[in-house]
């Protein structure tokens, strides 16, 4: 008996599951929460990446990070 073939993903799902999309979402979340975020691997083909707070990211699963900084202080001229 052979293993069933993996289901075909639509082009829309492929875009949603991409690392590019995960990085885009991580940036938006970081801006919203004003804190660092990370993109981690999940091992799930339907959701291969997940955005989490950087402090909650498992080091061995982290793919990328968004680091925020506070540039709200006016510069002295």
């Amino acid at each position: 008996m052979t293993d069933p073939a993996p289901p075909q993903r639509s082009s829309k799902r492929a875009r949603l599951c991409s690392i590019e999309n995960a990085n885009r979402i991580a940036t938006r979340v970081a801006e919203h929460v004003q804190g660092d975020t990370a993109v981690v691997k999940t091992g799930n083909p339907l959701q291969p990446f997940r955005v989490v707070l950087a402090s909650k990211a498992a080091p061995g699963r982290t793919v990328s990070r968004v680091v925020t900084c506070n540039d709200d202080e006016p510069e002295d001229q």
Side-chain angles (χ1 to χ4, degrees):
M1 199 173 216
T2 62
D3 291 332
Q8 293 292 330
R9 286 198 271 178
S10 70
S11 60
K12 186 173 185 176
R13 177 169 291 282
R15 283 191 309 273
L16 289 173
C17 292
S18 70
I19 185 65
E20 293 83 8
N21 190 54
N23 285 328
R24 182 182 63 79
I25 297 299
T27 301
R28 291 183 69 181
V29 170
E31 290 171 354
H32 181 73
V33 300
Q34 295 182 348
D36 299 349
T37 58
V39 176
V40 296
K41 295 183 280 188
T42 66
N44 179 347
L46 292 178
Q47 183 187 15
F49 304 103
R50 178 176 292 154
V51 176
V52 298
L53 295 176
S55 61
K56 304 291 184 186
R61 294 199 172 266
T62 301
V63 176
S64 63
R65 287 186 66 166
V66 175
V67 179
T68 58
C69 65
N70 186 355
D71 285 344
D72 293 342
E73 298 292 323
E75 292 184 31
D76 291 332
Q77 294 183 2

